[in-house]
Amino acid sequence: MSQGHKRFHINEQELLCKNGCGFYGNPAWQGFCSKCWREEYQKAKNAQLQIDEQNKMMKQKTPVGAEGKAPSFSKFEEKKKRESDKRTHTVKSLFRKSSSKDIAAEQVAKREAMKRLSSESQQVGEGFADFLRNLSKPAALDVSKHIRALIEKIQQNPDVTVDEHSEIIQDFYQSMGDRLQTHPVYKGLTHTTSDKLMDYMEKYIMTRLYRAVFCSMWSDDEEQDLIIQKRIRSLHWVSEQNLEASISVNEPSVRALVDSAITDIIEMDSKRAPQDKLASVVRCSNHIFEALKASQNNEPASADDFLPALIYIVLQANPPRLQSNIKYITRFSNPSRLMSGEAGYYFTNLCCVVAFIENLNAESLNMTPEEFEGYMSGKLVPRDSKEGHICEGLRLMYQNLANLSELRQRHEKVMAEAMQLQQEIVEFKENFKKEIQSVLTKNPWTIKPRKTKVDLDAESPATDMLPPPLIPQIVGEPMVVQHDQSNANSTDMTTEPHVTVTDTAVEE
Amino acid sequence: MSGSRVDMKIVLLGKEFGGKTSLVERFLHDRFHGEAPYQATIGAAFGAKRIEVVGKSLILGIWDTAGSERYEAMSRIYYRGAKAAIVCYDMTDSESFARVCFWVKELRNNEENCKIYLCGTKKDLVDENKNNRKVDYHMVTDYADEIRAKVFETSAKTGENIRNLFLKIAEDYTMDPVNKQQQEKDTLNLQEPTKKKRCC
Ligand SMILES: Nc1nc2c(ncn2[C@@H]2O[C@H](COP(=O)(O)OP(=O)(O)O)[C@@H](O)[C@H]2O)c(=O)[nH]1
Ligand SMILES: [Mg+2]
Ligand SMILES: [Zn+2]
């Protein structure tokens, strides 16, 4: 339970493909990875073909499709071709066409995905709506009109390539940016407000479209993710000394910062909007700077210190879906953010880190090829563990022990306070009783019975003489009239006559 | 400073120990090698600084880079989209000037819209003793003419010429017709937003 690892929301298992193949799964493919999803689809397609074949055998009269395929399939393909010449269309849509059971299951899954999506989108949507309220009404309407059009455009074409999606979104940023400056409804908008507006739009759009465009089925991002993940795993032995990163990772205070940086970079994957992912990178970088500063007698770190440290952090963190996240940010972030600002700087460093890790060799670590191979093959054990440093497991254990004893102290304190509170409650009760008693002895009370309604007729012996059920009717009606005239109040009176009474009283 | 909009990206390139970080430190925080009391900064690798030039206000985003040769292969990722590159060489180290040619070639091949500024560093050491100079000024200016770059000889220690360098960069940027158009569009539109009507 090291400091940094407490905050992870998603455990790795949930991210992995349902088939257990080791790739990452994706909700858009019902938890499969793209490979298994394609296989599933193939199965479904073959099943469909078989059914079609059987149908054909049974009916015989149906003509065979041009490519010798089952009629429904070829017909379907024709239709698809008409819609678009994209090869990718057929695959995904066909799967939907499989069996009715599959369709039902898929729809349930889809609806669930939508529900999950909407909770996150809703949150962003609310913030956005609040912001739009500060704009003029025509401006707000114009913004929502364009956003709706964009989202529909993308959602209605789920099968186009991710690069086309990227182009659409980038065009949108560009044209909306121009529009904010040229269109009359946005007259008088300050630079800051229009920047904020662009920010909100990006955040909202990308949160809504995240599932549709992140780690697209039709890109090889996922394979790239796995390659870099394996690569990083194979480099587990690379130490901060190998990288000449001036971080004293065994210093507890530095270690805490390193853990935070690791958490930050891992959390990037759980964010949706590009700026939120970038914010994780910035947070990570700031923690690295703090760690560097704490390692170097409070001397502020520079670019020369930062890059190796970031490499070290990425190697330690092995962030999930690293390539997908980098590509996503590159494709869908507002380019101005990436080109010049602080976030852009750190993101660029992250891209460099990935490039460095991909090409890392003996030379980049200042060692001989033999040494490098030795470490890679596991024949050589990192120098680090032979030296006086305690190993990661022990370090964690000590830290956990410290945490536990602190927890126990806090627990004891809470218990002591609880006991005291209990004592106070008892005392309070006692004092309260005593006080009441003393007040009572000083001022003796005679408690009179509460006034109750008295039915005048109840005990009259005369009532027994009357026929019981008729009594209220006979006596009641004349009484109302009587009250009206006399203005007298009676226990038996209904509300309505009472109102009439007061009314007349006012009039008089 | 962070998160705010930045108008232009300026990247620093050059051999390790060439004085890039010191130059940035001096410009951003006006201090040299820990001499001045530290401000709240936790580090400097990126910095944004507002600068006023020809009646305009610009925010410069300054990108320091790790100079070690082991990262040279990735440098292209750094200077992508930069409007200006300050290529540093240590005037007391002839080898560092040889690296300058490497960077210039890189930039010319990959980033044609990036203006190049050659920056000799550690001028104070040369002024102290002429024998310390290992890179001839005229040789550099000849080379600079050839590649249409400008030369600045600076000292991060004394601060000499550093502000001039960044002022020149900002001025060139504002005067460049491409960027000028962009800026005028911005300011014009602020005053007369009704000018163009177009729907996207
Ligand atoms: N005397 C003097 N020393 C300098 C100057 N600029 C840098 N240095 C020193 O040169 C060394 C390397 O500088 P640094 O900025 O870290 O170079 P970088 O690797 O290019 O970032 C440091 O020891 C600096 O103190 C300068 O203008 N004058
Ligand atoms: Mg440096
Ligand atoms: Zn799988």
Side-chain angles (χ1 to χ4, degrees):
Chain A
M1 206 179 63
S2 90
Q3 261 261 281
H5 297 265
K6 280 183 227 162
R7 285 187 281 148
F8 301 163
H9 309 309
I10 312 166
N11 83 40
E12 170 114 337
Q13 275 308 318
E14 286 168 42
L15 291 172
L16 292 175
C17 168
K18 276 205 308 210
N19 253 6
C21 65
F23 276 89
Y24 286 111
N26 187 321
W29 313 323
Q30 271 129 65
F32 289 109
C33 67
S34 65
K35 219 173 133 203
C36 295
W37 170 252
R38 270 179 225 138
E39 272 165 22
E40 285 292 312
Y41 143 71
Q42 267 299 338
K43 265 191 243 159
K45 182 176 140 186
N46 291 342
Q48 175 70 39
L49 281 176
Q50 247 170 25
I51 292 168
D52 288 348
E53 202 67 28
Q54 280 166 7
N55 286 346
K56 196 181 79 188
M57 298 293 245
M58 265 156 33
K59 288 177 190 167
Q60 276 303 331
K61 37 192 164 179
T62 353
V64 178
E67 288 142 291
K69 281 177 190 157
S72 67
F73 184 62
S74 60
K75 210 161 72 195
F76 169 72
E77 275 214 320
E78 268 166 43
K79 195 179 135 221
K80 273 288 158 192
K81 260 190 204 118
R82 257 180 282 125
E83 274 172 21
S84 149
D85 53 353
K86 270 176 215 79
R87 159 178 54 91
T88 52
H89 271 263
T90 44
V91 188
K92 206 170 181 181
S93 316
L94 243 178
F95 191 55
R96 291 199 190 114
K97 277 206 145 189
S98 45
S99 75
S100 60
K101 211 170 112 196
D102 278 356
I103 290 171
E106 194 198 17
Q107 273 171 353
V108 169
K110 240 184 142 178
R111 227 173 295 133
E112 260 163 28
M114 290 293 277
K115 246 187 260 157
R116 260 176 290 152
L117 175 136
S118 57
S119 80
E120 270 149 320
S121 303
Q122 255 168 22
Q123 223 176 3
V124 179
E126 275 161 24
F128 190 21
D130 281 346
F131 176 78
L132 284 180
R133 254 169 240 135
N134 299 324
L135 300 183
S136 74
K137 201 157 185 190
L141 283 177
D142 191 67
V143 168
S144 13
K145 188 183 83 188
H146 280 88
I147 287 187
R148 211 175 311 126
L150 176 78
I151 288 178
E152 268 168 31
K153 189 173 173 186
I154 298 234
Q155 283 178 341
Q156 277 162 14
N157 297 297
D159 295 345
V160 308
T161 66
V162 68
D163 289 325
E164 282 166 282
H165 277 148
S166 166
E167 219 167 280
I168 294 171
I169 303 266
Q170 293 296 341
D171 284 351
F172 179 84
Y173 293 149
Q174 175 84 47
S175 67
M176 272 322 266
D178 289 350
R179 196 175 170 83
L180 293 192
Q181 297 189 334
T182 54
H183 200 276
V185 296
Y186 299 108
K187 191 175 174 171
L189 215 61
T190 63
H191 256 305
T192 2
T193 317
S194 66
D195 281 357
K196 254 195 205 147
L197 180 55
M198 288 303 291
D199 253 28
Y200 265 115
M201 286 196 269
E202 180 181 348
K203 188 167 176 142
Y204 180 70
I205 291 166
M206 291 323 297
T207 306
R208 283 285 305 270
L209 298 177
Y210 190 62
R211 270 167 209 284
V213 301
F214 184 83
C215 187
S216 167
M217 181 179 176
W218 312 114
S219 71
D220 66 344
D221 297 355
E222 197 191 359
E223 273 121 275
Q224 298 295 322
D225 285 338
L226 205 70
I227 290 171
I228 191 84
Q229 195 187 40
K230 278 192 181 141
R231 174 81 176 152
I232 291 177
R233 218 178 286 147
S234 74
L235 292 169
H236 67 92
W237 51 271
V238 176
S239 69
E240 72 280 7
Q241 285 108 325
N242 292 141
L243 295 162
E244 284 165 32
S246 31
I247 294 190
S248 328
V249 284
N250 295 309
E251 205 87 30
S253 61
V254 175
R255 186 69 227 181
L257 291 165
V258 165
D259 284 341
S260 302
I262 291 173
T263 310
D264 294 330
I265 198 68
I266 288 174
E267 270 180 348
M268 171 174 71
D269 186 58
S270 66
K271 306 283 193 259
R272 286 189 167 202
Q275 57 260 68
D276 293 340
K277 287 186 186 289
L278 283 170
S280 297
V281 179
V282 173
R283 261 198 308 279
C284 168
S285 305
N286 285 333
H287 277 132
I288 291 175
F289 271 107
E290 281 177 47
L292 286 166
K293 193 176 171 179
S295 309
Q296 309 174 41
N297 298 322
N298 280 333
E299 176 87 11
S302 71
D304 300 278
D305 309 309
F306 176 68
L307 187 60
L310 185 62
I311 295 170
Y312 174 73
I313 294 295
V314 171
L315 284 177
Q316 292 287 306
N318 203 348
R321 300 195 284 192
L322 186 55
Q323 296 278 21
S324 288
N325 277 293
I326 287 178
K327 295 232 176 88
Y328 170 83
I329 292 172
T330 315
R331 284 173 186 140
F332 297 109
S333 175
N334 191 333
S336 65
R337 212 188 298 284
L338 292 188
M339 282 333 294
S340 41
E342 190 185 26
Y345 180 78
Y346 294 133
F347 179 68
T348 302
N349 273 277
L350 183 63
C351 298
C352 279
V353 167
V354 172
F356 181 82
I357 290 173
E358 283 171 342
N359 300 312
L360 193 146
N361 56 22
E363 205 184 330
S364 17
L365 298 178
N366 281 335
M367 50 175 72
T368 64
E370 294 75 35
E371 230 182 318
F372 185 81
E373 275 316 309
Y375 285 126
M376 284 304 265
S377 62
K379 276 189 207 123
L380 282 177
V381 183
R383 205 177 342 125
D384 203 45
S385 58
K386 285 187 201 147
E387 282 171 11
H389 302 306
I390 52 168
C391 75
E392 178 70 9
L394 267 182
R395 190 189 65 75
L396 265 182
M397 199 185 77
Y398 284 132
Q399 199 181 333
N400 288 346
L401 281 176
N403 285 346
L404 277 176
S405 79
E406 194 200 322
L407 204 63
R408 200 176 56 208
Q409 276 171 14
R410 276 159 60 183
H411 178 79
E412 278 163 5
K413 196 169 158 229
V414 169
M415 280 308 285
E417 276 168 14
M419 295 303 282
Q420 198 186 337
L421 185 65
Q422 199 180 31
Q423 186 62 34
E424 278 168 15
I425 289 172
V426 170
E427 279 168 18
F428 179 79
K429 207 166 120 188
E430 290 301 315
N431 289 342
F432 196 74
K433 270 187 192 161
K434 263 185 225 153
E435 217 148 302
I436 286 178
Q437 209 51 57
S438 74
V439 171
L440 279 180
T441 41
K442 261 186 253 162
N443 316 290
W445 292 78
T446 41
I447 297 166
K448 293 175 186 167
R450 274 181 74 177
K451 282 181 187 170
T452 45
K453 290 181 183 177
V454 178
D455 187 348
L456 290 174
D457 299 325
E459 263 134 339
S460 161
T463 49
D464 296 341
M465 318 282 283
L466 294 166
L470 291 176
I471 295 165
Q473 286 170 344
I474 293 166
V475 177
E477 271 179 32
M479 263 183 83
V480 170
V481 178
Q482 216 182 3
H483 288 308
D484 254 346
Q485 290 159 343
S486 66
N487 265 359
N489 216 334
S490 157
T491 47
D492 243 343
M493 215 167 71
T494 53
T495 29
E496 264 179 331
H498 184 76
V499 171
T500 344
V501 170
T502 36
D503 277 351
T504 36
V506 171
E507 271 164 26
E508 279 162 7
Chain B
M1 176 173 116
S2 62
S4 62
R5 76 189 275 135
V6 169
D7 296 299
M8 105 181 264
K9 169 174 171 180
I10 304 172
V11 63
L12 280 111
L13 299 169
K15 195 185 163 206
E16 200 175 8
F17 306 117
K20 299 180 294 296
T21 303
S22 304
L23 187 89
V24 173
E25 273 289 278
R26 171 60 78 190
F27 179 63
L28 289 178
H29 308 295
D30 201 22
R31 63 168 188 213
F32 176 71
H33 207 66
E35 86 199 341
Y38 285 132
Q39 288 145 327
T41 81
I42 52 164
F46 170 86
K49 190 163 169 130
R50 183 183 292 277
I51 195 167
E52 312 287 331
V53 65
V54 284
K56 289 221 173 65
S57 170
L58 266 188
I59 298 175
L60 311 181
I62 297 158
W63 294 41
D64 192 5
T65 57
S68 164
E69 282 188 27
R70 59 162 85 171
Y71 308 126
E72 222 158 56
M74 289 109 61
S75 57
R76 199 173 302 173
I77 306 174
Y78 272 113
Y79 55 68
R80 241 193 76 224
K83 296 288 182 205
I86 302 175
V87 183
C88 295
Y89 60 94
D90 179 349
M91 286 193 274
T92 67
D93 170 16
S94 59
E95 221 177 275
S96 74
F97 188 75
R99 296 300 302 159
V100 167
C101 306
F102 164 82
W103 290 113
V104 169
K105 233 180 274 163
E106 277 264 311
L107 286 164
R108 281 283 174 260
N109 287 338
N110 302 308
E111 206 65 36
E112 40 186 328
N113 289 326
C114 179
K115 282 199 157 54
I116 298 175
Y117 299 82
L118 303 184
C119 178
T121 61
K122 314 189 187 180
K123 183 159 188 295
D124 57 292
L125 295 179
V126 172
D127 291 345
E128 205 176 85
N129 181 349
K130 289 270 172 297
N131 294 333
N132 282 338
R133 184 186 275 278
K134 296 282 158 22
V135 183
D136 180 60
Y137 179 68
H138 294 290
M139 189 266 286
V140 179
T141 48
D142 286 351
Y143 175 68
D145 285 345
E146 202 181 298
I147 60 163
R148 272 172 295 115
K150 294 185 181 74
V151 184
F152 287 80
E153 291 195 336
T154 66
S155 164
K157 190 170 179 186
T158 64
E160 184 181 348
N161 234 355
I162 288 180
R163 203 173 153 73
N164 287 341
L165 165 67
F166 284 96
L167 276 172
K168 184 69 191 161
I169 292 174
E171 192 186 306
D172 287 352
Y173 176 80
T174 17
M175 302 310 269
D176 188 336
V178 184
N179 308 319
K180 210 172 174 180
Q181 223 173 22
Q182 181 64 40
Q183 281 164 7
E184 254 156 31
K185 204 178 108 208
D186 286 1
T187 42
L188 257 182
N189 291 333
L190 271 181
Q191 290 146 5
E192 274 177 77
T194 37
K195 232 181 81 192
K196 247 198 275 175
K197 267 188 192 164
R198 77 176 255 258
C199 195
C200 50

